[in-house]
Amino acid sequence: MIINKLVINSEKEIVHKIVKEILLLFKIEVHQDVPADYDIIEISNYVKKDIVFEVFTKIRFVKNSKSQLFTRTDFARQDENPRASANRLIKLNLYHLLTDNLGPIVAPWGILHGVRPAKIVHRYISSGMDKSAIAARLTADYAVSGKKAVLLTDIAYGQLPVLAASDHNTISIYIGIPFCLTRCLYCSFPSNLLPEADILNAFMAALHKEILSLREIIDAYHLKVQNIYIGGGTPTSLPEKYFALLLDYVQGLYSNDILEYTVEAGRPDSITLEKIKLMTAYKVSRMSVNPQTMQEKTLKIIGRRHTPQEIEKVYNDIRLISPAKINMDLILGLPGETAADVRDTLEKIIKLSPDDITVHALAVKKGSSLKSCLDSVQLPDDKVTREMAYTAENLLLQADYSPYYLYRQGYMSGQLENTGYCRQGSASIYNIQIMGEKQTILGIGGNASTKIVAPSFAYLKTLFNPKDLGTYLKSVDDYIERRLSLMREVYEK
Ligand code: SF4
């Protein structure tokens, strides 16, 4: 739908953000001076902070000087934070007003927009709600579909033993290697093509400093490292000499009782027999090989330099050499793909039998080449992408995989989610911890995030290493100092 003008009667940036988010959900675009469905849409919200917190929303549609006004009021829950509830109620009011007046849309997640929706369910569980009450509340408060509400609730319950088994002194470590062999069409990460030796040497030296600093932190606060995750980028894009050095440095961070050690090997064209042997020698317990699709035509379109056969070969090489669990990532909604392509990909992947499979929905993000060439590629529409998700889900459930973690991003095809499926006993503990945000995760390297969790989860302190490689190299000492200072603040309280 096109409108010529949007009026938001608020000076608050957050209100403008919320309104735009909802308009995007309804695919309402604002274009001046073109034939439009409405000349103006005007939105106003009134927040009443009384005994019962209340949000009243007005929406006015103007067409050919005739206007229609619709209103809706909703009330906060007693257990809600007032600011969060105001934002939620503005969204919910708008969602219902637009649905009532423009017709329903397919939005399986309703107004639930955050990256970590399972955290909401964990909060409900802590407050003593049971499964059916939680699912009902997700539908009432966030307009989440019944099916997604049950899926999310089941996943959150399944994560409880892992989250409960961690304590304040148990941490994970993330190491970001911001290099790739080529740049994928849809990539919006600040990853760099593999640089020359001088830059690589500088990066390895900076990373080594961070690793030594982490070692000091671990010793000073008597921390136990539960999981290490080397991600990126593509860590295995490092030449063998550097990759061996990386694993050697990282060895200084863990002891034999580490629960999970993942290397995101990512792209098969970056994995050699030597690198698999190295990972095996350093006891990497989980390797991620990410085909995204098993369709050769799509691999070419998305800028990957490998074939489906190479994916199978690398998978089989790892199985022969290493006892590590193998994860594989797929993307639904890639350019030119059909539901039949996705079925074929899933059948091929399931035949390989990886331990866990993460199914992503394509997100067309700013900063990706895909965003700037949308006119020249053919993306499956939302309906087809949802059909793909349905196909993938059924095939995975039939093959004994169960969903165990889930997250969302902006601009996802089909208003879907990214879901990790695993075979019994193969859930990635790190994936659950990073989504749960109940465990301190120290992030080092390019574009890594540190999240330091206070006792009893009272608050979270964050630090984000620079996205830009040059800035990272220049400011690594500063980030080491800032991380130490945050650790002191939280762990010495
Ligand atoms: S492998 Fe991942 S990080 Fe590297 S270019 Fe592709 S999507 Fe981006």
Side-chain angles (χ1 to χ4, degrees), residues 179 194-205 239 241-242 473:
F179 307 120
L194 197 65
E196 296 297 322
D198 54 339
I199 305 279
L200 267 184
N201 290 333
F203 175 77
M204 294 304 292
K241 175 177 105 174
Y242 292 92
L473 296 178

Side-chain angles (χ1 to χ4, degrees), residues 77 109 112 120-121 124-125 129-154 157:
R77 302 275 188 172
W109 290 97
L112 197 52
I120 296 176
V121 178
Y124 292 160
I125 294 171
M129 289 167 74
D130 68 17
K131 265 192 182 185
S132 61
I134 291 172
R137 180 146 170 195
L138 288 170
T139 300
D141 285 10
Y142 295 95
V144 173
S145 74
K147 190 177 170 211
K148 296 296 183 195
V150 170
L151 170 73
L152 183 61
T153 308
D154 284 346
Y157 266 88

Side-chain angles (χ1 to χ4, degrees), residues 206 209-210 213 476-485:
K209 270 191 193 175
E210 288 208 283
S213 158
V476 63
D477 293 332
D478 179 36
Y479 281 82
I480 288 174
E481 196 41 57
R482 283 161 72 181
R483 191 177 303 111
L484 281 170
S485 156

